[in-house]
Amino acid sequence: MNQTPTSRNFKRNTAGALVNEQLQRALSNVPAGFVDKRARARDKLPEFDALRDQARDIKNHTLAHLDLYYEEYEAKVAASGGHVHWCETADEACKAVVEICKSHSARTVTKGKSMVSEEMNLNAALAEAGVEPVETDLGEYIIQLRGETPSHIIAPAVHLNKDQIEADFRATHTGLPPERNLEEGAALVYEARQILREKFIAADIGITGANMLIAETGTSVIVTNEGNGDLTQSLPKVHIVLATIEKMVPTLEDATTILRLLARSGTGQEFSSYTTFSTGPRREGDPDGPDEYHVVILDNGRTKMLGSDFQEMLRCIRCGACLNHCPVYQAVGGHAYGWVYPGPMGAVLTPSLIGVDEAGHLPNASTFCGRCEEVCPMRIPLPRMMRNWREREFERHLSPATVRSGLSLWAFFAKRPRLYRLATGFAARFLHLWCGGDGKLETLRFAGGWTKHRDFPSPEGRTFMAQWKNRNG
Amino acid sequence: MADPAKRDAILARMRQSLSVGADDEVRRKTVKDRIKAHKPNLVPARAQLPHKKQVELFREQAEAVQSTVTSVARDDDVPAAVADYLRSQNLPQTVRHGDDPLINKLPWRKKAPTLELNKGIADPQDEVSLSHATVGVAETGTLVLTSGSDNPTTLNFLPENHIVVIKAGEIRGTYEDAWQHLRKRDGERTLPRTVNMVTGPSRTGDIEQRIELGAHGPRRLHIIIIGG
């Protein structure tokens, strides 16, 4: 559960991931589970791409007026009897939550799925304060049992297979008959339902994230499928919402436009089972719902992204589409990225939040195939921003010496076209002759990593430019 | 409790990054106007249909996400429809509901004498709950339920079986229609404590991306349309 970053070990992490058979088996579910379903949902809504344009514009407008929408939002939360807690850092946000827990002498808190909670490392702070945090989203519950972090922002246990989960349940739920049948997924789901039911009822406080905050009404929104978030926030006496500053939208209509994209992009559903709008604590005459409603607003470096080259990243609605469609994510999974947010969105966001020194490798985890930008419902130019980070990594001399000298050498020739043509012409002829008759090289000096897994095809003997010139007379 | 100095510091940082001042009246007016107008964005054509077609679409879409749907002609037919459904699913003839005026005035004793009705919030022992939805959204077969003593929120999530009644006239095309309905009912810039948009029964794909129903919320969602 520790969220100490290991992003600087990205290369080592990926090497392990690629040979991890369990992980590779689990990741093979991603294309059918997410990619195909998204494509079908998109095809069923002719307006899908036009909605993406509008969603982008809504967020751009909101970010440009973020201070004022927060003023409107906060006034509405206060008017409905709720409290807003402003926190600059993850530590401050943890303290705010722990204080609320202490003021209610809370012993158990249930939690809906929240990536902000992961970013805060909240569970460790709660445990330290003597409060037991219980993750209630099935995937989150499973990884909490295993002491792991989520490997995907909407499917936290996507790196696991059924047999691993069965083993975890048998090891943890020791009060149940050992001979019970847990072969089917349905049996595992039912067992978790029974176990967590007692936790829902016993909890003193419920903590959820927020997919959006709405300035018009001072409302927080959660989008879920299991119903755990709703039990988390409607049964205990206190509901705490965790949100980072980019979650704001102006109106219910604006939230609606984004909701039309969120589930379709993420899970490929037209709409998630439960979309819940919460405004303040229970009202006079309400027989259920929390007596207190707190919203913890966390900055954690995001105000610095406003007005910067990375502002557009603040449009992200955490649907997970860029992870699902990324060939690198599909190959190595989420843990290799070494911090809370994996995949293309993580490769852009993580260096902003924890620094390019720690996370400088992540923007290199891209083939620049462009699928992430193609599927992003908020039209975030992820490849461009990854390139931007790469440039900064280079400028700050964070890339390895061989890469730097190689690039400098290439740049020297690239800036001198005549010399470049001469050198490439020589290389093409030389490699052609060197390869001899079989047309391929099995090893190549300075490119051993590449030829270890494949042969280098022999050049034709003349460069492309030379052939082109010849063809066109 | 909330610290006003921290609030001011974060808002000041936003303004600094955006290179704007706190007293820019043009920006302020832009924000106020947008909230006041709450203009709909692009609304998909799918549900912009005559009302009868919207009710049909609602039903199709609800069934596509594993809700079950029956229609009855009149209010008075609801008790028998509830009793029949419980029998068909082998469920006990016991139902929890809130203080909803429509549910209260139905001829339960006359039309479903075997049915036991309990009023109040959900109890962990309850197997079946009954709610009255505020609006139905045809676009995705979504039920909009609003909190209050008439339809307590816990009824939507705690029992394993959720039955929801809705009048055909309460079914509309889009989510935007639902927001307009609530504004007309409760006023501008306000919502009930909880608005639940429910689209099918509870589900999870967390185990190998295969969908299983009944994760934490209801395993079954049964919708009874009156006059549909």
Side-chain angles (χ1 to χ4, degrees):
Chain A
M1 268 178 301
N2 193 354
Q3 274 300 6
T4 310
T6 66
S7 303
R8 63 172 73 235
N9 302 330
F10 178 71
K11 282 190 180 173
R12 201 185 319 151
N13 296 348
T14 53
L18 288 168
V19 296
N20 182 334
E21 271 176 44
Q22 281 277 17
L23 175 66
Q24 292 301 322
R25 186 151 61 91
L27 288 173
S28 69
N29 295 319
V30 169
F34 291 115
V35 175
D36 300 351
K37 285 183 189 167
R38 176 198 172 269
R40 282 200 293 274
R42 178 205 57 200
D43 293 346
K44 273 174 78 177
L45 188 68
E47 295 91 346
F48 189 77
D49 284 336
L51 287 167
R52 290 168 71 194
D53 293 336
Q54 289 201 334
R56 173 198 60 207
D57 297 346
I58 290 168
K59 273 291 192 184
N60 283 350
H61 164 83
T62 313
L63 291 170
H65 300 84
L66 196 59
D67 52 323
L68 298 177
Y69 280 116
Y70 265 101
E71 287 184 3
E72 293 286 337
Y73 167 81
E74 189 187 33
K76 274 292 159 190
V77 175
S80 62
H83 306 277
V84 177
H85 305 257
W86 298 82
C87 303
E88 192 182 332
T89 63
D91 278 348
E92 280 180 28
C94 284
K95 270 191 205 123
V97 173
V98 166
E99 253 175 58
I100 299 167
C101 291
K102 281 188 176 157
S103 73
H104 291 272
S105 310
R107 286 186 312 185
T108 313
V109 306
T110 41
K111 292 180 68 202
K113 189 176 152 32
S114 157
M115 291 310 293
V116 176
S117 157
E118 301 292 333
E119 186 179 329
M120 289 161 57
N121 210 358
L122 177 61
N123 285 4
L126 287 171
E128 203 177 297
V131 181
E132 185 201 4
V134 180
E135 296 289 350
T136 63
D137 171 85
L138 180 58
E140 289 280 347
Y141 175 70
I142 293 165
I143 60 168
Q144 190 183 29
L145 294 183
R146 300 171 63 87
E148 290 179 336
T149 54
S151 68
H152 189 292
I153 59 175
I154 68 163
V158 74
H159 59 288
L160 297 172
N161 296 296
K162 208 165 53 183
D163 48 341
Q164 293 169 292
I165 299 165
E166 179 182 345
D168 293 328
F169 278 20
R170 288 193 188 281
T172 313
H173 307 154
T174 48
L176 296 170
E179 68 278 11
R180 69 194 186 281
N181 187 342
L182 289 179
E183 253 172 52
E184 296 296 319
L188 294 167
V189 172
Y190 188 74
E191 182 161 311
R193 178 187 176 104
Q194 297 305 317
I195 298 273
L196 284 166
R197 196 133 280 241
E198 291 158 28
K199 302 284 187 183
F200 283 125
I201 291 156
D204 304 299
I205 290 178
I207 300 177
T208 68
N211 290 82
M212 282 183 272
L213 303 175
I214 303 174
E216 179 186 353
T217 46
T219 299
S220 55
V221 185
I222 59 169
V223 178
T224 71
N225 277 309
E226 296 183 1
N228 65 306
D230 289 283
L231 291 169
T232 295
Q233 67 164 64
S234 60
L235 293 173
K237 289 203 174 312
V238 181
H239 176 197
I240 304 175
V241 178
L242 310 175
T244 43
I245 60 163
E246 75 274 33
K247 304 284 181 181
M248 183 61 64
V249 293
T251 64
L252 293 164
E253 276 71 6
D254 294 327
T256 300
T257 297
I258 291 172
L259 286 171
R260 284 197 176 99
L261 295 166
L262 177 58
R264 287 182 173 96
S265 299
T267 55
Q269 292 169 285
E270 296 226 301
F271 220 55
S272 295
S273 297
Y274 303 118
T275 302
T276 300
F277 299 77
S278 305
T279 313
R282 71 159 81 174
R283 308 290 160 78
E284 207 182 323
D286 281 359
D288 55 13
D291 295 325
E292 284 183 25
Y293 174 76
H294 298 267
V295 187
V296 174
I297 306 285
L298 175 61
D299 177 351
N300 215 21
R302 288 167 175 80
T303 45
K304 275 193 228 126
M305 294 169 70
L306 276 177
S308 80
D309 291 342
F310 300 99
Q311 170 165 324
E312 291 182 275
M313 191 59 220
L314 296 175
R315 291 206 298 265
C316 177
I317 55 171
R318 309 288 189 268
C319 69
C322 63
L323 282 64
N324 299 336
H325 291 76
C326 176
V328 177
Y329 180 90
Q330 284 183 8
V332 301
H335 286 151
Y337 290 79
W339 199 57
V340 179
Y341 302 104
M345 60 78 62
V348 173
L349 186 61
T350 306
S352 297
L353 299 186
I354 65 173
V356 72
D357 293 340
E358 173 64 41
H361 276 320
L362 302 187
N364 297 321
S366 164
T367 64
F368 285 133
C369 68
R371 287 179 85 192
C372 50
E373 184 174 358
E374 233 167 74
V375 298
C376 176
M378 307 305 288
R379 296 205 187 275
I380 299 171
L382 291 158
R384 196 192 79 206
M385 287 194 281
M386 278 187 261
R387 265 199 302 276
N388 201 321
W389 275 126
R390 285 187 185 188
E391 280 161 23
R392 287 175 193 220
E393 184 197 12
F394 189 80
E395 279 162 18
R396 295 187 56 183
H397 297 265
L398 292 168
S399 29
T402 45
V403 174
R404 299 185 64 78
S405 47
L407 277 174
S408 308
L409 189 68
W410 179 79
F412 174 83
F413 283 102
K415 282 185 210 149
R416 294 164 177 83
R418 208 177 279 180
L419 202 57
Y420 186 89
R421 277 198 292 275
L422 197 68
T424 49
F426 172 74
R429 270 197 306 281
F430 173 75
L431 285 169
H432 178 69
L433 290 173
W434 192 23
C435 282
D438 68 349
K440 57 185 196 245
L441 281 174
E442 278 164 26
T443 57
L444 197 61
R445 198 154 157 71
F446 302 123
W450 200 87
T451 51
K452 195 169 149 194
H453 299 287
R454 41 210 171 319
D455 294 335
F456 186 84
S458 156
E460 292 285 322
R462 302 180 65 205
T463 64
F464 172 76
M465 283 200 311
Q467 290 186 51
W468 185 255
K469 199 176 169 197
N470 195 29
R471 178 185 293 194
N472 292 306
Chain B
M1 272 298 111
D3 178 351
K6 278 193 205 161
R7 165 193 187 273
D8 293 346
I10 290 177
L11 291 179
R13 271 212 305 278
M14 289 178 186
R15 289 180 180 125
Q16 194 189 356
S17 290
L18 293 168
S19 309
V20 295
D23 48 0
D24 186 332
E25 284 311 314
V26 178
R27 289 178 79 237
R28 209 166 275 279
K29 187 172 180 309
T30 306
V31 165
K32 293 259 183 215
D33 288 350
R34 181 164 181 134
I35 289 175
K36 196 168 174 208
H38 48 69
K39 222 172 76 202
N41 303 299
L42 173 66
V43 178
R46 179 194 285 181
Q48 299 185 27
L49 301 166
H51 185 254
K52 201 164 169 253
K53 294 263 179 210
Q54 286 178 339
V55 176
E56 280 170 29
L57 178 64
F58 173 82
R59 185 182 181 128
E60 272 169 40
Q61 293 290 74
E63 285 174 343
V65 290
Q66 291 81 37
S67 304
T68 52
V69 185
T70 50
S71 301
V72 297
R74 298 172 306 122
D75 293 3
D76 287 4
D77 300 328
V78 170
V82 170
D84 287 349
Y85 174 73
L86 296 179
R87 258 190 301 276
S88 74
Q89 300 297 318
N90 250 337
L91 290 164
Q93 295 276 323
T94 307
V95 170
R96 174 80 63 179
H97 66 91
D99 208 8
D100 185 80
L102 170 71
I103 295 176
N104 280 341
K105 77 170 179 60
L106 297 174
W108 295 102
R109 215 172 294 167
K110 204 168 122 205
K111 296 289 183 85
T114 55
L115 206 60
E116 183 190 326
L117 292 163
N118 299 309
K119 207 180 265 190
I121 64 169
D123 180 279
Q125 306 306 319
D126 291 336
E127 286 192 53
V128 185
S129 57
L130 174 69
S131 307
H132 174 199
T134 307
V135 177
V137 178
E139 187 172 349
T140 45
T142 298
L143 296 161
V144 180
L145 298 126
T146 49
S147 58
S149 59
D150 47 354
N151 290 286
T153 301
T154 45
L155 296 182
N156 305 339
F157 297 100
L158 205 50
E160 229 174 291
N161 306 279
H162 191 202
I163 304 175
V164 181
V165 292
I166 184 164
K167 290 183 168 246
E170 290 162 338
I171 293 174
R172 286 147 212 266
T174 65
Y175 315 113
E176 283 84 350
D177 295 334
W179 298 132
Q180 278 308 88
H181 173 82
L182 288 180
R183 287 189 185 111
K184 219 166 139 191
R185 190 189 81 172
D186 298 342
E188 293 284 318
R189 297 202 70 176
T190 185
L191 284 180
R193 150 65 196 168
T194 310
V195 177
N196 290 121
M197 288 190 177
V198 176
T199 312
S202 159
R203 69 197 62 210
T204 181
D206 274 348
I207 299 177
E208 296 185 352
Q209 274 53 67
R210 288 174 54 118
I211 303 301
E212 300 287 351
L213 297 184
H216 291 292
R219 183 186 304 269
R220 297 189 190 88
L221 176 64
H222 184 63
I223 303 171
I224 301 174
I225 303 174
I226 306 172

